[in-house]
Amino acid sequence: MAPWSRWPHLLLLLGVGRAWVWPSEAPKDIPFERSSLFREVDFTGKYATYGAADTWFPSWGSDGNLYSPFTDGKVQDVTSASICHGASCTSTTGYATIKGEDPLNLTISDVGVASSSTSPYHGRYPCGSLHVNGTWFYGTYALDNENHQPGDRLGATRGGYCENWCIQGPFIGFRWSKDNGKTWNEPRERLKSWNDTLFGESAPNNHSKVKFGAIHVVDLGKALQYTPAGDREKMMYVIGHGASSPFSPQSWMQGSEIYLARVRPEIQAVNDRSSWDFYGAQSWHKGDVAKAEPLISWANRTGVTTMTYIETVKRYIVCVSTPTYSPFTEQQFDTYLLESENITGPFRYISYLREFGPQAYFVNIPSKFVGDFNPKDGSLRLFLSYSANFDWKKSAPKPAGSGYHWALQEVILRGSHPIPSTVV
Ligand SMILES: *[C@@H]1O[C@H](CO)[C@@H](O)[C@H](O)[C@H]1NC(C)=O
Ligand SMILES: *[C@@H]1O[C@H](CO)[C@@H](O)[C@H](O)[C@H]1NC(C)=O
Ligand SMILES: *[C@@H]1O[C@H](CO)[C@@H](O)[C@H](O)[C@H]1NC(C)=O
Ligand SMILES: *[C@@H]1O[C@H](CO)[C@@H](O)[C@H](O)[C@H]1NC(C)=O
Ligand SMILES: *[C@@H]1O[C@H](CO)[C@@H](O)[C@H](O)[C@H]1NC(C)=O
Ligand SMILES: *[C@@H]1O[C@H](CO)[C@@H](O)[C@H](O)[C@H]1NC(C)=O
């Protein structure tokens, strides 16, 4: 684990540190109105980094700890690799417990990996994760490449029109643990067929698109503390990027749409497709993924999507990362933030951060580290959680702290006419 940098802290204490604004540079065809609540993302220069792996999506458990997946790298002495390897196309996916109240000084413990087969796909990666009332639900999804041949190993992973993992496969389903990861129950250790997946979706070739691939659990606070308007009981919501047109680029990083679904967070319901509600055309459809329709559409400009509810401003904030240069996944990435008072939108955009990272991905806002809203200047302090630059070495990390690890980067969201943003 890399020690967190003490430099920014020190500079701030000395008064040298300044928050600086990342300019919003939205493409002309952005399909959202501008938010009037927040219009600016300021970076304070405070950050911490942990591990040497990506795919961090922390969930705030009832016991106060965070629980997160990770993969494709090393955390402490544990290595995880989610590409098909070995005779039975094994994928390992990492998990870790994260303790502490200070995002700049967290302790990672109980690190391990779970194994399953990628077959018939070539990669099986972590996605949505929820730890609630002692049960940890841990989702995986499939990835593939347009040029793969059955049984092909190397060469199956790279190359192709988008450069890296050019087919987003289906969401496979959740494994679960009742002992914080010591033992897992995995209903689909090896898929029986392309569509042996929780929602029944599949991507056997380059032109079959899925609505739900890399889903992420909406962060509704500690142990799903907050309940969206209209719900009578606690629900797990999942959000993710998808596509529907056969020629729409759809990789782990890119899609043209965003979809939403929900279920009661109980083991039996979570594993039963007929218990899921899929959102489409202003209503919920029980058990039928075919009825899911996009919550958000933006051609070639959606990608890895997460959502967090922030009670102090009563807003759902969505983070989306997408290739700067469609459809390329080994170049820079953009990240944009949306907000709505409703989990089903409509959404307004806060800011469009072009080449954030310059190649940041898996951006999310852990509710545990959201500060108070300051009504005097309309500012909200929080931490962006992300990884960056897995294949980008042509320019320096921006902001500092971005890299192939778990980064927690402090930012301040601000409205349109508050105090100058140059002073922390
Ligand atoms: C970091 O956390 C550890 C364990 O909680 C604590 O012992 C240590 O004093 C903390 N360090 C700083 C710089 O806050
Ligand atoms: C967790 O347990 C508490 C106490 O039993 C209960 O009130 C709450 O609804 C449970 N949460 C979920 C998501 O099941
Ligand atoms: C997979 O597809 C086959 C053929 O269309 C269908 O019979 C089967 O029910 C599907 N399985 C799932 C899990 O949706
Ligand atoms: C796969 O689909 C993408 C996006 O439509 C397209 O650019 C690419 O040429 C396709 N590749 C093959 C091998 O058909
Ligand atoms: C999206 O990407 C595809 C494949 O590169 C391209 O054919 C299509 O025109 C793009 N759509 C838009 C609206 O840019
Ligand atoms: C949120 O959406 C629900 C369901 O569509 C609707 O009943 C409610 O009025 C909306 N709330 C707001 C604040 O827009």
Side-chain angles (χ1 to χ4, degrees), residues 173-243:
F174 290 96
R175 61 180 69 121
W176 71 92
S177 173
K178 292 189 78 74
D179 53 17
N180 298 333
K182 284 188 196 70
T183 55
W184 291 96
N185 299 277
E186 170 55 80
R188 290 179 182 80
E189 196 282 320
R190 188 186 181 92
L191 310 191
K192 295 187 199 73
S193 60
W194 295 100
N195 69 346
D196 175 21
T197 59
L198 182 56
F199 297 161
E201 290 195 290
S202 63
N205 66 63
N206 187 41
H207 299 300
S208 43
K209 305 296 165 181
V210 297
K211 296 173 178 175
F212 294 90
I215 55 113
H216 297 294
V217 177
V218 176
D219 185 337
L220 295 172
K222 182 178 177 179
L224 300 178
Q225 182 178 354
Y226 300 107
T227 307
D231 287 2
R232 283 185 302 269
E233 54 184 340
K234 299 277 180 200
M235 299 289 264
M236 175 207 291
Y237 282 78
V238 303
I239 191 165
H241 71 283

Side-chain angles (χ1 to χ4, degrees), residues 229-230 279 282-284 314 340-346:
Y279 187 74
Q282 318 285 318
S283 59
W284 294 97
K314 300 207 163 17
S340 176
E341 50 274 86
N342 207 311
I343 197 166
T344 54

Side-chain angles (χ1 to χ4, degrees), residues 146-147 161 166 206-207 209 246-250 327:
E146 64 179 316
N147 298 316
Y161 76 94
C166 298
N206 187 41
H207 299 300
K209 305 296 165 181
F247 285 86
S248 184
Q250 193 190 16

